[in-house]
Amino acid sequence: LEVAASAETKRLSEQLVDLIDAIPGIVFQMQVRPDGWRDFLFISNQISDQYQPAPAALEKLNSLTRHGFLSARTPDEARVHEAIRRSVPTLAPLDIDALVSAEGSPPCWVKTLATARRAPDGSALFTGVWLDVTVQKQQAQALALAQKAAEHSADENAGILATMSHEIRTPLNAIVGMKQLALRNTLSDSMRDRIETSLSA
């Protein structure tokens, strides 16, 4: 019976690992004690796809707080820390984007999504996922730049048209005025017809 239970436990564990590895992101569980101390209880294998060198054992995972994207070396990383700190007493879920830079890896945008629950010892357990949203951020920034360029171009075109309109209107007004004055004079029928046709045009 014990052998069967052990085999079932092993099967379920392997199944859980397979499910976690299939998630498009880095699954993590972090414990935050009331005094602010943080421990990573679990980080999925996808960490090695995004950050090098990857920690090889659980005891090394917490080094991420010193050299990884939770090191708070940038304002964005500090915002993640602050969001976690605010969430501890309320257990509010986390949903925050941050531009982060881990040692040995280029800067990237990471979205943190996590739920929190209270542990028996009073600490907060955050279970969630880190998603690389660099491509989406770059696309959004490119779209914003393109929109800004289009608006600038539209403003320039409007200015050019306004200038052209003014430059054309001034001589046209003079021409129209001169034709109207000419019609007050005695003219041949053919000359009057030509001026009136030109004026109406």
Side-chain angles (χ1 to χ4, degrees), residues 10-24 27 42 44-46:
K10 181 181 179 181
R11 185 189 70 80
L12 291 174
S13 296
E14 291 174 348
Q15 186 180 50
L16 180 60
V17 169
D18 289 342
L19 290 171
I20 289 174
D21 286 345
I23 294 175
V27 178
F42 175 82
S44 64
N45 294 329
Q46 286 92 329

Side-chain angles (χ1 to χ4, degrees), residues 90-110:
T90 64
L91 299 181
L94 298 176
D95 183 352
I96 186 169
D97 295 349
L99 182 62
V100 299
S101 177
E103 289 182 1
S105 301
C108 64
W109 281 96
V110 173

Side-chain angles (χ1 to χ4, degrees), residues 144-161:
L145 288 175
Q147 182 176 358
K148 186 175 181 180
E151 291 172 352
H152 180 70
S153 178
D155 291 341
E156 282 189 339
N157 288 339
I160 292 172
L161 288 175

Side-chain angles (χ1 to χ4, degrees), residues 114-137:
T115 57
R117 65 179 177 87
R118 190 71 62 200
D121 64 357
S123 63
L125 285 177
F126 290 90
T127 302
V129 62
W130 290 312
L131 300 171
D132 187 341
V133 293
T134 305
V135 173
Q136 293 90 321
K137 287 288 185 180

Side-chain angles (χ1 to χ4, degrees), residues 29-135:
Q29 187 173 63
M30 180 177 63
Q31 180 182 24
V32 182
R33 297 196 312 224
D35 62 3
W37 182 263
R38 302 174 188 182
D39 290 316
F40 284 100
L41 306 180
F42 175 82
I43 295 183
S44 64
N45 294 329
Q46 286 92 329
I47 190 76
S48 61
D49 297 333
Q50 191 163 345
Y51 298 100
Q52 298 291 340
L58 185 62
E59 58 267 19
K60 294 183 179 180
L61 297 180
N62 292 298
S63 66
L64 287 172
T65 59
R66 293 189 292 275
H67 67 71
F69 62 79
L70 289 179
S71 59
R73 292 177 299 179
T74 69
D76 272 8
E77 292 169 6
R79 284 194 306 110
V80 175
H81 276 275
E82 179 61 19
I84 294 171
R85 186 191 67 77
R86 289 198 310 268
S87 178
V88 169
T90 64
L91 299 181
L94 298 176
D95 183 352
I96 186 169
D97 295 349
L99 182 62
V100 299
S101 177
E103 289 182 1
S105 301
C108 64
W109 281 96
V110 173
K111 175 182 283 292
T112 300
L113 296 172
T115 57
R117 65 179 177 87
R118 190 71 62 200
D121 64 357
S123 63
L125 285 177
F126 290 90
T127 302
V129 62
W130 290 312
L131 300 171
D132 187 341
V133 293
T134 305
V135 173

Side-chain angles (χ1 to χ4, degrees), residues 1-10:
L1 185 62
E2 290 182 4
V3 173
S6 177
E8 179 64 11
T9 300
K10 181 181 179 181

